């Protein structure tokens, strides 16, 4: 029996603030946020629009819980983001999205809370984008290699005939991906097991700041503790500003059987674990490719 309830994920943000294709009216919070951004209102005032609150699933971590975590990859390498010492590693690219008719099979309502209607889209795997372009997909593939003609800073397809409409989102773990991944990880980690969860220091407000800080070659993270099941339920929720505030950039169980990195400002996730765990992920419905620590990481827009 699956320990996570099946939920229908939704998207409330499109990468690079592309909100206009088919959307008649945006939620009030998004409209205010975009208005303040356009007018360059001081950040202190902009923060009043969206109250940043540390999700209640998080508790204080202990300093000793980050001891022995070593990341020593060179610039641009996977090893900058996941620790050494694991049997194998996998790259999980965030999906692209294809605009679809409301209610279409497999489509997700981007603005389900908007009473005046919104955008619907299907998640599209990179391998399907590559196949549509007559190309092969492998661990060295860049989004720019397979995307074809683009506009909107490379994040929007030019033609409706292309396999995708919007490119992969940055710095997130899509709800339907999180649900599938956490159900797989639950073979190794129980709902009540203690996990450590971190956010990049440059992407948080005061509420995330703590004395427990994981330093890595690329980014430093403020570390908090949580229960595996609580975080899984949070990440499987429909997407929202509140959900995004709780999405970690690094996550691992206290047992250190695996380590997940969700790269801020990138469209990639990396998972470290045993051969059995990584093969389970690669043989699932998730798109995943085995990688090595010296391999090149994939920045957004690449």
């Amino acid at each position: 029996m699956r320990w996570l309830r099946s939920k229908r994920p939704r998207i409330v943000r499109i990468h690079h603030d592309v909100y206009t294709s088919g959307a008649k009216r945006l939620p009030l919070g998004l409209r205010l946020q975009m208005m303040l951004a356009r007018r360059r209102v001081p950040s202190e005032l902009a923060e009043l629009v969206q109250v940043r609150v540390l999700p209640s699933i998080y508790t204080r971590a202990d300093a000793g819980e980050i001891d022995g975590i070593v990341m020593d990859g060179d610039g641009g390498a996977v090893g900058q983001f996941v620790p050494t010492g694991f049997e194998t590693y996998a790259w999980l690219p965030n999906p692209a999205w294809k605009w679809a008719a409301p209610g279409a099979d497999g489509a997700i309502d981007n603005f389900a809370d908007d009473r005046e209607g919104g955008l619907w889209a299907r998640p599209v795997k990179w391998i399907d984008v590559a196949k549509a372009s007559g190309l092969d997909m492998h661990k060295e593939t860049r989004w720019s290699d397979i995307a074809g003609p683009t506009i909107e800073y490379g994040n929007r397809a030019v033609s409706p005939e292309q396999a995708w409409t919007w490119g992969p989102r940055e710095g997130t773990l899509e709800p339907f991906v999180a649900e599938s991944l956490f159900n797989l990880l639950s073979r190794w980690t129980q709902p009540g097991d203690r996990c450590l969860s971190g956010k990049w220091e440059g992407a948080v407000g005061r509420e995330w700041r703590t004395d427990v800080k994981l330093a890595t070659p690329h980014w430093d993270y403020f570390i908090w503790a949580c229960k595996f099941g609580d975080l899984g339920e949070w990440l499987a929720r429909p997407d929202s500003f509140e959900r995004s505030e709780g999405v970690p950039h690094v996550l691992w169980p206290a047992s250190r059987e695996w380590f997940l990195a969700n790269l801020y400002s990138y469209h990639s996730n990396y998972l470290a674990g045993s051969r059995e765990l990584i093969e389970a992920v690669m043989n699932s419905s998730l798109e995943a490719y085995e990688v090595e620590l010296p391999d090149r990481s994939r920045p957004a827009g690449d």
Side-chain angles (χ1 to χ4, degrees):
M1 171 180 274
R2 293 162 66 109
W3 64 272
L4 286 176
R5 296 193 306 272
S6 178
K7 298 182 180 180
R8 187 169 186 170
R10 294 166 289 178
I11 308 168
V12 299
R13 296 184 300 161
I14 302 298
H15 180 56
H16 281 305
D17 292 335
V18 180
Y19 294 112
T20 56
S21 299
K24 297 178 181 178
R25 188 175 181 83
L26 301 182
L28 177 60
L30 290 175
R31 298 201 302 274
L32 288 173
Q33 185 184 19
M34 293 172 70
M35 177 189 72
L36 291 173
R38 285 196 301 269
R39 297 187 179 184
R40 299 184 180 181
V41 174
S43 59
E44 294 80 6
L45 179 58
E47 287 183 359
L48 295 176
V49 177
Q50 295 178 325
V51 178
R52 306 171 74 98
V53 177
L54 183 75
S56 61
I57 60 174
Y58 290 112
T59 58
R60 293 282 179 181
D62 297 326
E65 292 181 297
I66 63 174
D67 291 346
I69 296 178
V70 178
M71 303 177 196
D72 60 1
D74 295 331
V78 173
Q80 290 186 112
F81 306 107
V82 284
T84 60
F86 285 91
E87 190 173 4
T88 191
Y89 301 84
W91 165 45
L92 286 76
N94 288 339
W97 298 90
K98 179 65 176 177
W99 192 9
D105 184 39
I108 294 169
D109 189 349
N110 289 269
F111 296 109
D113 295 329
D114 183 1
R115 295 182 181 180
E116 297 186 36
L119 300 174
W120 287 71
R122 294 188 183 92
V124 182
K125 294 181 178 180
W126 287 37
I127 191 170
D128 294 327
V129 175
K131 287 180 178 178
S133 300
L135 302 171
D136 294 328
M137 179 70 196
H138 50 79
K139 70 174 186 176
E140 296 296 332
T141 298
R142 306 179 188 183
W143 174 247
S144 58
D145 294 337
I146 61 175
T150 63
I151 56 177
E152 300 287 354
Y153 308 100
N155 194 61
R156 180 74 182 273
V158 170
S159 170
E161 301 302 318
Q162 290 174 252
W164 62 284
T165 305
W166 303 287
R169 296 201 302 160
E170 301 176 17
T172 190
L173 193 63
E174 302 290 359
F176 78 95
V177 172
E179 182 178 5
S180 296
L181 180 59
F182 271 61
N183 276 306
L184 286 168
L185 293 175
S186 67
R187 302 179 191 176
W188 288 267
T189 309
Q190 298 301 308
D193 287 352
R194 183 178 178 87
C195 285
L196 288 306
S197 178
K199 295 272 277 190
W200 173 48
E201 63 178 354
V204 299
R206 300 184 190 90
E207 74 290 340
W208 272 94
R209 299 186 180 277
T210 176
D211 294 336
V212 182
K213 195 174 182 181
L214 177 64
T216 78
H218 194 76
W219 286 314
D220 293 345
Y221 306 90
F222 291 115
I223 303 300
W224 291 75
C226 61
K227 291 183 180 179
F228 177 74
D230 290 345
L231 184 57
E233 291 285 350
W234 181 275
L235 295 178
R237 295 170 53 173
D239 211 353
S240 65
F241 174 79
E242 289 75 19
R243 175 192 179 273
S244 69
E245 286 294 283
V247 175
H249 298 134
V250 289
L251 172 68
W252 69 96
S255 63
R256 300 195 181 180
E257 291 182 284
W258 49 267
F259 188 103
L260 177 66
N262 161 36
L263 308 192
Y264 182 85
S265 77
Y266 286 49
H267 44 41
S268 295
N269 301 280
Y270 291 103
L271 179 65
S274 66
R275 168 63 58 183
E276 182 183 7
L277 186 156
I278 297 302
E279 287 185 350
V281 172
M282 294 179 63
N283 291 327
S284 72
S285 61
L286 296 171
E287 185 171 22
Y289 303 89
E290 185 173 346
V291 294
E292 298 178 352
L293 294 179
D295 289 339
R296 182 181 180 280
S297 58
R298 289 149 189 82
D302 191 9

